[in-house]
Structure formats: structure tokens, C-alpha cells
Amino acid sequence: MSEKRIIPKHVAIIMDGNGRWAKQRGKERYEGHLMGVESVRAVTRAAVRNGVEWLTLYAFSTENWGRPQAEVDAIMELFCRAVINEGEELAKQGVRVLIMGERTRFSQSVLEMIERIESVTASGDKLTMVLAFNYSSRREIVLAARSLAERVASGELKAEDITEESFAQSLMTSNIPDPDFIIRTSGECRLSNFLLWQASYSEFYFPEVLWPDFTEEEFDKAMEEFARRERRYGLV
Ligand code: FPP
């Protein structure tokens, strides 16, 4: 006997608390990020198992460039290592990886890894993992407004043709459905410049657990929480 549960099609996660996790254990912040990669692995498996189709992870915000250079370098290094170590396994699981964000400020080796992970996993058809990497939602909205303004100035588009749909098509998420469920770990209840436009009708969940402690079981708990929510989209 199987009971049909409502599964969010798109789950987006603000992976927060790596630094606090490390501090609580007297370790360097880097160790928290290292354990954070384990959680990425666990959550990816759990998302595939639950039948989630889209998983967006906030891996590096535009503001994160302001962290100490050693920490920025460590996160970039972890990303490159994850691409090398996990690419094949992700492809085997049917996971397609897309990197969302501005491809500026990255070193040549990080740019190469971005291209590598996208091409190695291009045929994944179970889950699309969107890694927000050098992403900021306000910047994304400004860039969309700018590109629409340029199209109006060139006569390609009329101002009255700027609609919610055409605006959404100009965002970095043009081919990605809006997130149904946004999770932020570590008990912080903020969006921090993440998917501001796309979150209009999302459900939110703020578990206390720090990101390195976010296991497959925690993801399953989140799915149970989502199934309990009733969504009305402004209707009664
Ligand atoms: C937030 O914790 C975490 C980040 C800014 C980085 C997330 C990075 C990873 C999980 C590793 C990179 C992996 C990939 C696959 C790109 P925080 O440092 O803000 O924690 P705190 O609020 O406790 O200080």
C-alpha cells in the first residue's frame, strides 16, 4: 500500500552554518566547508531518492568575495576538488549540474571546472542541481532590467511588452521553475539576496541544524514538513 505524498518539484537551499559548526569544535572555518560538501553529497542522494527534480544550492554569493582571501580560496579549491571527485558519480546518478551566476572574477582553473562539470553531467535526467556560484539576486534583477532596456532602446521590444513573463525570461533562472520550497539551515530566517523574484510563492523552512549536520534524514524531515503545507497562491 503506498500513500502519495506531495513532493516539491524544486527545492532551494541556503547552506548556512559551516563556520559555526567548525568554531563549536575548535576547528578552522575551512573544516566546516569541507564537511559542508559531505552534506551536499547526502542531500543530492536524498533529493534523487525523493523524486525532487530541481535542487538549487547557494554555494557562493557575490558578497562572499568579501571574506578573507584564504577562505575564498578554500571554497574555490573545494569546488574544484568536488568537480574532479564527484563528476562521474553525479553523472551516474542521473544528476545534471548547472552553474548559475556571473562568470566573472573566477580564476581560469575554476572556469574550466565549471565547464567540465556542466559537460560531464549534461545528459543527467533525474535531477538538475543548480549551483548558485557568484550569484546575487539583486544583481540578477539589475542585469535583467538592463538587458530589457537595451532591447527597448534598439527597437527590438516595446516597453509595454515587458511583462512578468518576459522579465522572468531575462533572469538567470529563465529555464528553471520557481522554487517550491526554500530551506535555510542554522536557524537564520533571511533570504540574503537569494532568488528574491523567484521566491514569491515559495514555502520556507528554517531548521536549527547547521549545514554540516544536515543529513539525508534531515532532508526527509524537510520533505515531510513541505507535505504538510497548504499552498493557495493568493487564492482562498
Ligand atoms: C555558509 O556557511 C556556507 C558558505 C558560504 C559556503 C558553502 C560552501 C560549501 C558547502 C562548500 C563548497 C562546495 C561546493 C560544492 C561549491 P557560513 O560560512 O556562512 O557559516 P557561518 O554563518 O556559521 O559562519
Side-chain angles (χ1 to χ4, degrees):
M1 218 171 32
S2 76
E3 191 190 323
K4 193 120 178 68
R5 240 203 6 217
I6 305 160
I7 299 292
K9 181 173 175 172
H10 182 177
V11 176
I13 307 183
I14 302 174
M15 309 182 286
D16 198 8
N18 294 350
R20 275 163 284 168
W21 184 93
K23 192 165 177 211
Q24 284 170 7
R25 288 160 181 78
K27 295 174 188 280
E28 295 291 328
R29 293 178 60 81
Y30 163 79
E31 307 259 3
H33 297 315
L34 188 62
M35 282 306 290
V37 176
E38 286 300 318
S39 299
V40 171
R41 211 175 277 136
V43 158
T44 307
R45 273 196 305 268
V48 171
R49 176 168 49 72
N50 276 276
V52 169
E53 291 173 42
W54 295 83
L55 175 68
T56 297
L57 301 175
Y58 204 3
F60 193 84
S61 73
T62 308
E63 291 78 19
N64 286 155
W65 291 110
R67 293 194 175 195
Q69 191 58 41
E71 185 173 346
V72 171
D73 290 346
I75 293 174
M76 295 297 153
E77 170 70 28
L78 277 177
F79 169 74
C80 292
R81 228 184 312 145
V83 171
I84 292 166
N85 295 337
E86 312 293 334
E88 307 278 317
E89 176 57 27
L90 288 168
K92 223 183 316 166
Q93 288 182 56
V95 178
R96 171 175 70 134
V97 179
L98 300 178
I99 308 294
M100 175 177 75
E102 283 187 275
R103 302 214 175 163
T104 53
R105 295 183 72 168
F106 289 127
S107 67
Q108 193 53 37
S109 56
V110 170
L111 285 171
E112 278 165 21
M113 288 301 152
I114 288 175
E115 278 164 28
R116 173 162 162 179
I117 193 71
E118 287 188 332
S119 75
V120 167
T121 63
S123 59
D125 58 2
K126 283 210 172 66
L127 171 78
T128 300
M129 179 202 284
V130 182
L131 267 190
F133 207 44
N134 193 20
Y135 172 84
S136 128
S137 189
R138 286 187 175 180
R139 175 84 182 145
E140 175 192 31
I141 290 169
V142 165
L143 291 175
R146 195 180 288 170
S147 87
L148 287 164
E150 281 165 2
R151 290 172 61 198
V152 171
S154 73
E156 180 197 331
L157 192 72
K158 292 206 282 291
E160 60 265 33
D161 291 335
I162 299 179
T163 59
E164 286 190 24
E165 288 71 29
S166 66
F167 199 91
Q169 279 307 308
S170 306
L171 294 169
M172 291 175 186
T173 50
S174 58
N175 297 313
I176 302 174
D178 285 346
D180 303 291
F181 199 36
I182 297 183
I183 301 170
R184 181 176 187 147
T185 56
S186 88
E188 304 287 344
C189 307
R190 285 188 302 280
L191 262 182
S192 299
N193 221 345
F194 184 53
L195 302 178
L196 302 179
W197 170 282
Q198 298 86 344
S200 296
Y201 292 103
S202 305
E203 290 289 331
F204 291 88
Y205 178 54
F206 301 110
E208 291 291 327
V209 57
L210 304 175
W211 179 247
D213 292 327
F214 199 84
T215 55
E216 284 201 52
E217 291 69 37
E218 291 290 340
F219 189 87
D220 291 345
K221 254 186 2 203
M223 293 302 97
E224 281 163 27
E225 176 62 30
F226 180 82
R228 279 196 288 272
R229 308 274 177 99
E230 189 191 351
R231 301 171 80 200
R232 291 194 294 276
Y233 297 95
L235 308 173
V236 290

